[in-house]
Amino acid sequence: MLDDKILRLINNQKTEHTPHAFRAGGAGLRDFGALRHLLEPLTEAELSEALDVIDAMAATHNGCASCTAKIAAFCEAFAAQTLPQRSVGYREACSALSGREQRDYRAEIQRQLGI
């Protein structure tokens, strides 16, 4: 079972509560930056559960390629060490969305996370 703080940081980003939460300076960027440190100590199963919750939240942003790409870039970073194959899927999703927008969302998120 995931910690309430983790669930709050993820689910606060649903579009019905915060449209475009991942825009520059948006709450999603700050919250997911904080989320990184909460996810690092999780087991594979717990991290997988957290990513499933993030995936469900990301689906509420389907109309926005920018938000969806940034969420995928965050998930790529979150999964990189513990779930590398899942990380690759997020990288591919972000790259596909970034190509449409002609932006490097991965680089933006890496800067946000300091990696």
Side-chain angles (χ1 to χ4, degrees), residues 1-102:
M1 185 71 177
L2 293 173
D3 176 274
D4 287 341
K5 184 173 184 178
I6 290 172
L7 291 172
R8 182 181 54 77
L9 288 172
I10 294 169
N11 288 319
N12 278 352
Q13 313 316 317
K14 291 187 176 189
T15 55
E16 61 265 23
H17 302 298
T18 313
H20 303 291
F22 294 88
R23 72 187 178 286
L29 294 177
R30 287 188 308 275
D31 287 351
F32 271 46
L35 188 60
R36 175 181 179 215
H37 299 292
L38 296 173
L39 297 179
E40 285 176 348
L42 298 183
T43 66
E44 284 184 27
E46 291 168 331
L47 180 57
S48 185
E49 180 183 354
L51 292 171
D52 290 344
V53 174
I54 293 171
D55 290 345
M57 177 278 299
T60 69
H61 291 269
N62 273 344
C64 180
S66 176
C67 285
T68 305
K70 289 177 185 180
I71 294 166
F74 272 113
C75 288
E76 176 191 352
F78 296 157
Q81 296 300 312
T82 308
L83 300 167
Q85 286 192 277
R86 193 157 178 178
S87 182
V88 169
Y90 289 119
R91 181 182 314 124
E92 291 170 354
C94 182
S95 293
L97 290 163
S98 296
R100 274 197 272 162
E101 299 291 314
Q102 296 184 343

